[in-house]
Amino acid sequence: MMTACLASCGKVVLTHGLEDPMPVMTLSPHKGAINGVTWNHNNQVIASAGADGRIVLSHAGKGNQLLLLEDELNRTIPTNAVAFTSNSQFLASGGNDGIVKLWDLKRRALSNSFKSHLAGITSVAWNGNDTILASSSLSGDIILHNVSSGIPIANFTQKNSQGVRMVRYATQRKNVLASAGNDGTVQLWDITARSTIVSFTGAHSSRVSAIAFSPFKDVLLSSASLDQKVHFFDISERKVVKTLSTESPLTSLAFHADGHTIAVGTLYGQILVYDLRASHNVKNTLKGHDNNAVNFLDFAGRVNLEGEKVQLNESSTSLKLGERNASVTLKENVPVVAGLASKKSSVGANDTSILNGSDSRKELRRSNER
């Protein structure tokens, strides 16, 4: 069976390989539109956020539901974004109620809530050591929350942005945060100095749908827009160094862990895959969403034998950019996922819990050594 490395969502959640146009698996965990999707730390759990207000954690290989998270007080308010911590012990979410929520996956419960936004939340993102949670909203504000204290430590406003669509931390530069504006602006922030590094005002002629840093070279930032273009910015030189033009409005974007493969989702349900080392031509077109917008894309991370995500270094690959080049160990040896299942889940005895950072591969290795 083809191995999936990309998750997408629209009316359904799909997983994809990069060679076969048809999806590996189709999931329907929500009633209505699905706004966000993400892999956990070892690529064995997929979390999805729905317009039905639910957050569902699904088995990435089998597709069965592992855990359902709902706010008892706001069950019907749409959830727009989800993000795991680096060891998948916590999951952050944000929705139209303007509240950032922190879920403890070991306890299967809401751990904390941050009520600093005045409008619906569009994205959430963790910093490198999972201590600061960034969130953006439709009012144009970006708030950084100290997770330990529960206190907002910084507030940025993307002026005249008509709302911020997404925020993302740089992969290596710990003080750099990027934001995507509904007015077409891409902006970089120095979160230590609490100031703007550079604002690419009018970089796009329409809403910026998504942004992503290169996983191995974070001077390279990409953006996708409804104006049918993908821009690549050299943030050191503060300029656009490459542009991909498509025939459809773009709604989502993701960088592969190899550093040179990128996927963009369209308003009409296609996912375009590019190899940045080659030409501007589409390498493959992935299907499965029919004519429904691809709301979000997320590539699985590269993991080592311990189940931990691996970061590439700058020498791992080269791009041609214009002129430059809750620990529960169950019975079987199957390193799958989350014994954090609620009563509604269909987890069987062959599933293994690793969402809280304990990977069954380590348990299996210890078992074999005994």
Side-chain angles (χ1 to χ4, degrees):
M1 183 177 179
M2 180 173 53
T3 301
C5 64
L6 177 67
S8 65
C9 66
K11 291 288 184 67
V12 295
V13 172
L14 301 178
T15 62
H16 313 262
L18 296 182
E19 301 301 326
D20 190 334
M22 301 312 296
V24 174
M25 186 170 59
T26 301
L27 305 175
S28 299
H30 298 272
K31 298 177 181 178
I34 303 169
N35 299 321
V37 64
T38 189
W39 301 79
N40 80 325
H41 72 290
N42 56 17
N43 304 331
Q44 297 182 29
V45 181
I46 294 175
S48 54
D52 57 4
R54 296 161 31 125
I55 300 169
V56 178
L57 274 62
S58 302
H59 189 302
K62 301 176 183 177
N64 54 301
Q65 179 179 305
L66 299 168
L67 183 62
L68 169 64
L69 300 173
E70 289 182 301
D71 187 336
E72 296 293 330
L73 300 178
N74 299 297
R75 284 189 173 184
T76 61
I77 296 177
T79 303
N80 299 324
V82 284
F84 283 107
T85 52
S86 58
N87 65 357
S88 304
Q89 182 174 350
F90 293 94
L91 182 77
S93 67
N96 283 1
D97 57 2
I99 302 173
V100 176
K101 298 167 186 175
L102 186 61
W103 303 88
D104 185 327
L105 298 181
K106 184 176 182 179
R107 294 174 48 239
R108 290 175 282 171
L110 186 64
S111 173
N112 207 345
S113 297
F114 307 106
K115 303 178 181 179
S116 304
H117 288 284
L118 300 177
I121 293 166
T122 54
S123 73
V124 289
W126 292 98
N127 71 337
N129 58 10
D130 301 330
T131 57
I132 306 298
L133 181 62
S135 55
S136 59
S137 84
L138 291 171
S139 65
D141 60 335
I142 301 165
I143 298 177
L144 307 186
H145 308 85
N146 184 308
V147 177
S148 297
S149 67
I151 299 174
I153 59 172
N155 190 329
F156 304 98
T157 300
Q158 190 160 314
K159 297 180 180 180
N160 305 316
S161 68
Q162 304 164 28
V164 175
R165 185 71 177 176
M166 182 176 283
V167 287
R168 286 292 179 265
Y169 282 98
T171 50
Q172 297 166 22
R173 301 185 182 197
K174 297 179 180 180
N175 65 315
V176 176
L177 184 76
S179 62
N182 282 339
D183 65 344
T185 297
V186 175
Q187 195 153 341
L188 291 166
W189 308 86
D190 185 326
I191 60 177
T192 302
R194 305 289 196 269
S195 62
T196 300
I197 298 173
V198 60
S199 180
F200 297 101
T201 304
H204 292 279
S205 60
S206 188
R207 185 184 80 190
V208 184
S209 303
I211 49 176
F213 280 98
S214 166
F216 82 99
K217 187 177 182 180
D218 62 5
V219 297
L220 179 63
L221 174 67
S222 57
S223 63
S225 169
L226 294 180
D227 68 4
Q228 307 181 16
K229 290 182 172 60
V230 180
H231 287 321
F232 296 88
F233 303 89
D234 183 324
I235 66 174
S236 293
E237 298 193 6
R238 304 187 179 191
K239 67 179 183 179
V240 176
V241 293
K242 185 183 182 78
T243 297
L244 300 175
S245 297
T246 71
E247 297 179 355
S248 302
L250 303 177
T251 52
S252 49
L253 166 74
F255 243 119
H256 192 283
D258 64 14
H260 58 76
T261 302
I262 195 166
V264 290
T266 76
L267 187 65
Y268 307 126
Q270 295 177 318
I271 300 171
L272 311 177
V273 179
Y274 293 88
D275 185 340
L276 298 181
R277 300 169 302 178
S279 67
H280 289 62
N281 296 330
V282 176
K283 180 180 179 181
N284 200 1
T285 300
L286 307 181
K287 303 176 181 179
H289 285 287
D290 299 325
N291 291 320
N292 301 306
V294 182
N295 292 331
F296 204 90
L297 291 169
D298 190 40
F299 272 112
R302 179 169 292 178
V303 298
N304 59 21
L305 292 177
E306 302 294 335
E308 299 164 340
K309 286 195 175 179
V310 178
Q311 275 198 341
L312 303 178
N313 57 42
E314 187 169 332
S315 62
S316 300
T317 185
S318 61
L319 306 182
K320 294 180 180 178
L321 295 175
E323 298 176 356
R324 57 195 68 219
N325 280 0
S327 182
V328 178
T329 303
L330 300 182
K331 297 180 181 179
E332 286 283 3
N333 299 346
V334 183
V336 188
V337 276
L340 305 175
S342 67
K343 294 180 180 179
K344 296 181 182 180
S345 104
S346 55
V347 181
N350 290 340
D351 291 327
T352 304
S353 174
I354 47 179
L355 267 179
N356 69 329
S358 173
D359 196 322
S360 61
R361 274 167 277 206
K362 297 178 182 178
E363 298 297 327
L364 178 58
R365 177 180 297 177
R366 296 189 189 106
S367 175
N368 290 337
E369 291 172 349
R370 285 195 288 266

